[in-house]
Amino acid sequence: MKVFCLLFLLLSASACTSSELKSFTPGEVWRDNKGVHINAHGGGILYQNDVYYWYGEHKTEGQGGNTANVGVHCYSSKDLYNWKDEGIVLSVMPENSGHDIEKGCILERPKVIYNAKMKKYVMWFHLEPKGIGYRGAKSGVAVAEKPVGPFTFVKSLRPNAGHFPMNYPEEMKNAPDRTEGLKFGGGSVPKHPDLLNIVKRDFEGGQMARDMTLFVDDDGKAYHICASEENSTLHISLLTDDYLSHSGVYGRFFVGRFMEAPAMFKKDGKYYLIMSGCTGWTPNAGRSAVAPSVFGPWTELGNPFVGEDSELSFHSQSTYVLPVQGKKNGFIYMGDRWNPSNAIDGRYIWLPIRFEDDRIIINWMDEWSIE
Ligand code: DGJ
């Protein structure tokens, strides 16, 4: 009898450690069902058949952990507090294989959407081929039959090759590209981007694509939203119906504003973006914007973060805005608190979004729950 009681106590204790979370504690270690800190950075969420799937960058220890040594990690949850480890759903390829996603490449901000027509799960991510820093500025695409993968790599590309943006001035299309001899840093271009005509430079080979997200509208149309033109300008592109390619229909927005970390959502028929400035792994003041359509016109709404440390977005950078199922106007800001010197220890900042008229407001909370 004693042995039985002891066993019972041990079993109930272990059950508690894996499924007892009833609140979010932003910035704290967030343990999965195995007791391990969740490893899904720069992530996004897919909601499918009553289950939330969280996909993100699997980081490893140390500074080298910022490059892709493993792949994309997936977790599943029914309540958003407790997450089950579903393993690596897209694996990097062996070192020196020469593959687009070989170990040591940079694979960031993976997002997954479901294509009902094709009955396929489609993943897009920011891809930098190994060894060239952030100069590649490409997008990667992978597909799967099931939300928990395995995902198969399809291709990497530069978006919209051979197409000008819908809102590119006619005179620019014929003007020369003026980028020759210029060196670009991450967060600045030596002149206003329109004077440089970076779009023209990249017309043949495709436009640059770094920080990115995906957005699926109510009509099933999907969009790829990314930092382009040496990070200076955001591009929003309509994807083809199978979600696997760019349609060639795209626009450029926030010209010269260096928006990174875009996260798009829709509320009451309006489109919203939460973004950041461009300062590497270091946090900066968040930004937000609203528009009557995906292709604008976009109106900036300012920093959505309010209160102490709002100028640093509570030490976070946006990655996704999650509509909570069954909660009208319930949206969660998902951000990363990067730890560039020990990438695996990056933390997650999830906070509720409030609206004051059109404005997006995010307040800090040590602990909160959806209920
Ligand atoms: C900021 C981006 O938002 C991150 O995804 C990452 O690319 C870092 N820059 C790298 O410095």
Side-chain angles (χ1 to χ4, degrees):
M1 185 63 181
K2 263 188 196 156
V3 174
F4 177 78
C5 284
L6 191 65
L7 198 66
F8 178 77
L9 279 174
L10 281 174
L11 280 176
S12 28
S14 76
C16 277
T17 54
S18 60
S19 64
E20 67 186 349
L21 295 179
K22 291 203 165 15
S23 62
F24 301 107
T25 50
E28 299 300 315
V29 167
W30 192 347
R31 296 187 195 284
D32 65 11
N33 62 316
K34 296 174 177 164
V36 178
H37 180 47
I38 292 173
N39 200 339
H41 309 267
I45 305 271
L46 169 77
Y47 181 74
Q48 188 78 355
N49 302 329
D50 298 331
V51 179
Y52 294 96
Y53 295 93
W54 178 355
Y55 303 88
E57 305 159 27
H58 179 103
K59 303 256 191 196
T60 53
E61 277 176 18
Q63 209 177 350
N66 291 303
T67 55
N69 297 313
V70 178
V72 176
H73 208 135
C74 174
Y75 297 83
S76 64
S77 173
K78 289 212 162 197
D79 63 7
L80 294 173
Y81 307 119
N82 299 283
W83 292 89
K84 178 179 172 224
D85 183 2
E86 299 285 0
I88 300 299
V89 293
L90 175 69
S91 299
V92 295
M93 296 295 167
E95 225 163 353
N96 302 322
S97 60
H99 196 283
D100 280 4
I101 56 164
E102 87 168 75
K103 186 175 174 196
C105 69
I106 292 172
L107 193 167
E108 292 180 340
R109 298 183 177 272
K111 304 286 178 288
V112 174
I113 52 182
Y114 179 63
N115 187 288
K117 240 184 233 160
M118 315 290 290
K119 296 196 168 51
K120 292 239 189 300
Y121 295 85
V122 182
M123 179 191 291
W124 282 75
F125 49 89
H126 168 199
L127 174 67
E128 298 291 346
K130 190 176 172 182
I132 57 166
Y134 280 86
R135 288 201 303 279
K138 295 177 97 178
S139 304
V141 189
V143 291
E145 304 288 333
K146 290 187 287 176
V148 291
F151 280 79
T152 308
F153 178 78
V154 179
K155 60 184 170 184
S156 77
L157 54 97
R158 279 275 192 102
N160 295 311
H163 298 274
F164 278 116
M166 61 175 74
N167 51 357
Y168 210 48
E170 276 310 308
E171 65 272 19
M172 295 298 291
K173 295 182 186 170
N174 302 316
D177 136 35
R178 294 203 179 83
T179 57
E180 216 184 302
L182 295 178
K183 285 208 174 4
F184 297 96
S188 63
V189 284
K191 286 182 190 156
H192 190 278
D194 276 357
L195 299 176
L196 301 175
N197 212 348
I198 299 171
V199 167
K200 181 76 172 278
R201 181 197 68 187
D202 293 338
F203 181 78
E204 297 288 339
Q207 301 297 317
M208 298 178 88
R210 290 198 182 118
D211 273 15
M212 60 141 278
T213 193
L214 300 176
F215 173 75
V216 183
D217 208 344
D218 304 328
D219 59 5
K221 288 194 189 326
Y223 299 85
H224 178 231
I225 299 137
C226 67
S228 190
E229 300 179 43
E230 304 289 349
N231 281 347
S232 68
T233 299
L234 199 76
H235 284 192
I236 301 180
S237 306
L238 174 69
L239 295 179
T240 49
D241 286 350
D242 58 10
Y243 299 172
L244 295 177
S245 306
H246 289 83
S247 65
V249 175
Y250 71 113
R252 53 201 294 271
F253 305 94
F254 312 105
V255 174
R257 288 284 288 134
F258 289 87
M259 300 295 198
E260 277 199 324
M264 187 183 278
F265 63 101
K266 188 177 184 180
K267 177 184 135 340
D268 297 333
K270 287 184 186 168
Y271 298 80
Y272 292 85
L273 274 166
I274 296 183
M275 301 158 286
S276 74
C278 186
T279 52
W281 298 115
T282 313
N284 53 56
R287 296 158 178 205
S288 59
V290 64
S293 92
V294 175
F295 289 129
W298 284 96
T299 307
E300 282 201 50
L301 300 171
N303 184 354
F305 300 94
V306 175
E308 201 182 330
D309 275 345
S310 58
E311 287 310 300
L312 296 176
S313 307
F314 306 140
H315 298 268
S316 76
Q317 188 182 28
S318 42
T319 185
Y320 198 74
V321 171
L322 170 63
V324 180
Q325 297 303 314
K327 284 254 165 208
K328 188 167 160 39
N329 295 341
F331 293 94
I332 297 178
Y333 162 81
M334 290 170 52
D336 291 284
R337 183 172 285 177
W338 305 113
N339 184 346
S341 57
N342 188 20
I344 196 172
D345 194 31
R347 305 292 173 89
Y348 308 101
I349 307 299
W350 287 27
L351 290 165
I353 294 177
R354 284 194 301 116
F355 298 88
E356 271 174 21
D357 301 322
D358 258 352
R359 235 198 113 192
I360 300 172
I361 309 279
I362 305 173
N363 289 98
W364 177 258
M365 292 188 194
D366 289 335
E367 184 171 6
W368 67 283
S369 63
I370 296 163
E371 294 71 35

